[in-house]
Amino acid sequence: MRMVDLIEKKRDGKELTTEEINFIIEGYTKNEIPDYQISAWAMAVFFKDMTERERADLTMAMVNSGETIDLSAIEGVKVDKHSTGGVGDTTTLVLAPLVAALDVPVAKMSGRGLGHTGGTIDKLEAIEGFHVEISKEQFVDLVNRNKIAVIGQTGNLTPADKKLYALRDVTGTVNSIPLIASSIMCKKIAAGSDAIVLDVKTGAGAFMKTAEDAKELAQSMVRIGNMVGRKTMAVISDMSQPLGYAIGNALEVKEAIDTLQGKGPKDLEELCLALGRQMVFLANKATSLEDAEEKLKEVIRNGKALEKFKSFIENQGGDPNVVDHPEKLPQAAYQIEVLAKEDGVVAEIIADEIGTAAMLLGAGRATKESEIDLAVGLMLNKKIGDPVKVGDSLVTIHANRQDVQEVVDMIYANIRIAVHAKAPVLVHGIV
Ligand code: URA
Ligand code: CA
């Protein structure tokens, strides 16, 4: 087989066979096929697309390029949740204990964040003592006993995707639905869960700017998952404005605690229920999606979800008292209010720019090497559709330095106040 023939075949809009796709991905992983040929092939895919079969084959070729995680020692149907990335997305912190309270095993391998705020691990490390450096045996044992554990990233998973994603980044081929879908799905499949729930974001803060594109991506990922034997569902959700009020690591832990007590932001609660009901249903812990949602509301009402969060923290070395005393979380030295300069209704809160403002305070990493400050971040006091009067606080900045003028300017530039505006629909669709 010659790579040049496969580039021409895709260039001419033809379907590649399973063997041909395996040849490309194996050759690239072993450095036998050079970047320039893979770039040409990725561009051909960008313009000529891939069939569903090709997408599933590409996904599995990337899964097979490296190690995979074996979760078979954990009892029950393991369901993983994945979000395509948003600002102030506190859902994982809420969902993990919430579904575990219904005996859905949550065996989460998680990473550190790059960008707006930390990843799930960074956020959890805002809790004194909490750590994810546990052995594989401890991890399995904790999930079997308490249904929930988080471990740091281990193993060389999907090396082909790492190379291909980096190459796409510099060759104008990131924004291709077959390439994005296979890139996301190969990582989820390699991580070993039996079922996958996807949260595909749409809007200013998301990868997919329109609901149509988000739906197409969601459908593609769901088909790939189901074709390769992992039950998969997706929710398409709004990311035109940040989710909830909190953007920042300790601030989001507090927001998750509030939500587990049934007094969190309405949008965050709605999304957690939409994703959680799919997780509970796919794990065979409910007879229907409606039944699953009822059960989730019940464990919020009766305190079992909050108890689960406490035992989870304690099992991984953290201080469970933060749940009843969130003031024990790291606190920033200064709280600075950003006040509205006009009357009206909040019409826009540009999610990605507000996320960048939080990063500038130190809540997120600009580069992999950056240190993050777990205490800092932003609390939105208004969301789209809320009326405002001159002098109302739009945002509270939690900072560890006094000079935050740059952040204040960014906030003003990215919150628009108009005469009329309505809160956006949060859940755009279910796939
Ligand atoms: N996230 C991924 O992991 N891969 C893509 O291709 C795009 C977003
Ligand atoms: Ca939030």
Side-chain angles (χ1 to χ4, degrees):
M1 227 179 279
R2 291 193 318 157
M3 185 62 196
V4 61
D5 299 326
L6 305 184
I7 296 170
E8 289 178 0
K9 191 171 176 186
K10 187 41 76 183
R11 180 200 66 194
D12 297 339
K14 301 206 178 80
E15 184 174 355
L16 299 175
T17 66
T18 306
E19 292 69 37
E20 288 167 340
I21 289 172
N22 287 341
F23 171 84
I24 295 171
I25 296 304
E26 279 169 27
Y28 190 43
T29 309
K30 293 187 203 144
N31 297 317
E32 289 164 8
I33 301 174
D35 280 352
Y36 53 82
Q37 285 191 306
I38 299 295
S39 312
W41 169 77
M43 190 59 85
V45 170
F46 182 94
F47 282 111
K48 298 293 170 153
D49 209 343
M50 285 182 134
T51 63
E52 286 176 21
R53 202 222 83 242
E54 283 179 295
R55 295 176 189 197
D57 283 345
L58 175 60
T59 303
M60 288 315 292
M62 293 200 289
V63 169
N64 294 327
S65 72
E67 292 170 42
T68 57
I69 308 276
D70 178 5
L71 297 179
S72 58
I74 294 170
E75 298 138 27
V77 180
K78 280 77 70 185
V79 189
D80 202 358
K81 190 243 7 167
H82 177 79
S83 149
T84 59
V87 179
D89 187 353
T90 316
T91 53
T92 302
L93 290 182
V94 179
L95 276 170
L98 183 56
V99 304
L102 289 169
D103 287 338
V104 176
V106 176
K108 190 128 192 89
M109 199 179 68
S110 212
R112 296 186 187 277
L114 188 61
H116 311 128
T117 61
T120 299
I121 290 185
D122 300 302
K123 292 176 194 177
L124 287 166
E125 282 176 353
I127 300 166
E128 175 85 44
F130 190 97
H131 64 93
V132 296
E133 290 79 19
I134 54 177
S135 70
K136 177 85 196 300
E137 291 68 35
Q138 272 178 302
F139 176 64
V140 167
D141 184 53
L142 283 178
V143 183
N144 279 335
R145 279 195 293 116
N146 195 40
K147 298 297 168 196
I148 176 170
V150 176
I151 190 169
Q153 229 121 36
T154 52
N156 180 26
L157 304 195
T158 63
D161 174 66
K162 286 195 189 84
K163 281 187 83 178
L164 184 58
Y165 196 14
L167 186 69
R168 285 165 55 212
D169 208 23
V170 293
T171 55
T173 49
V174 167
N175 237 323
S176 153
I177 285 181
L179 296 180
I180 298 172
S182 52
S183 168
I184 294 173
M185 290 304 288
C186 75
K187 291 184 279 256
K188 287 289 114 184
I189 290 162
S193 60
D194 306 304
I196 300 161
V197 172
L198 300 160
D199 178 13
V200 181
K201 309 281 195 189
T202 177
F207 224 53
M208 295 284 128
K209 303 292 176 203
T210 69
E212 292 70 48
D213 283 349
K215 184 162 184 212
E216 201 184 326
L217 177 63
Q219 283 171 335
S220 182
M221 291 194 288
V222 167
R223 286 195 200 109
I224 291 171
N226 289 324
M227 278 173 86
V228 305
R230 309 290 170 104
K231 288 188 280 180
T232 306
M233 295 178 95
V235 170
I236 297 157
S237 72
D238 179 71
M239 197 25 90
S240 56
Q241 64 180 337
L243 191 62
Y245 301 117
I247 309 160
N249 301 286
L251 296 172
E252 288 186 54
V253 172
K254 166 78 166 63
E255 184 166 78
I257 294 167
D258 290 344
T259 308
L260 288 166
Q261 290 172 322
K263 46 183 203 193
K266 284 295 145 227
D267 60 343
L268 178 60
E269 178 180 291
E270 183 184 344
L271 185 58
C272 288
L273 290 174
L275 293 164
R277 61 191 222 145
Q278 294 190 340
M279 296 174 78
V280 170
F281 179 67
L282 288 176
N284 298 327
K285 299 291 182 191
T287 53
S288 66
L289 290 170
E290 292 70 33
D291 178 37
E293 183 158 341
E294 265 320 301
K295 291 190 153 97
L296 289 167
K297 288 180 174 161
E298 178 61 24
V299 290
I300 292 175
R301 268 195 303 268
N302 67 20
K304 285 194 176 154
L306 203 64
E307 281 308 311
K308 187 58 76 174
F309 195 42
K310 284 187 194 168
S311 61
F312 164 52
I313 293 169
E314 193 161 21
N315 282 340
Q316 298 203 220
D319 175 8
N321 291 320
V322 295
V323 172
D324 297 318
H325 300 280
E327 69 280 1
K328 289 188 166 189
L329 289 163
Q331 308 280 329
Y334 305 101
Q335 296 195 7
I336 301 141
E337 306 296 335
V338 182
L339 306 181
K341 294 177 188 166
E342 54 194 318
D343 292 344
V345 179
V346 176
E348 261 185 321
I349 305 178
I350 312 280
D352 45 355
E353 298 292 331
I354 296 294
T356 304
M359 188 185 75
L360 290 178
L361 287 169
R365 294 183 180 82
T367 70
K368 267 190 210 147
E369 288 71 36
S370 322
E371 289 267 331
I372 58 176
D373 183 337
L374 296 168
V376 303
L378 303 173
M379 286 298 295
L380 305 181
N381 297 312
K382 303 281 174 188
K383 302 263 309 202
I384 298 178
D386 288 348
V388 287
K389 292 230 171 300
V390 173
D392 285 353
S393 177
L394 296 172
V395 175
T396 306
I397 299 174
H398 292 245
N400 273 329
R401 56 184 152 89
Q402 264 175 308
D403 177 16
V404 291
Q405 195 53 45
E406 186 189 10
V407 173
V408 171
D409 292 343
M410 271 187 91
I411 291 169
Y412 278 125
N414 290 289
I415 297 186
R416 190 169 62 83
I417 294 171
V419 181
H420 300 288
K422 272 202 329 214
V425 173
L426 180 71
V427 174
H428 288 278
I430 306 287
V431 178

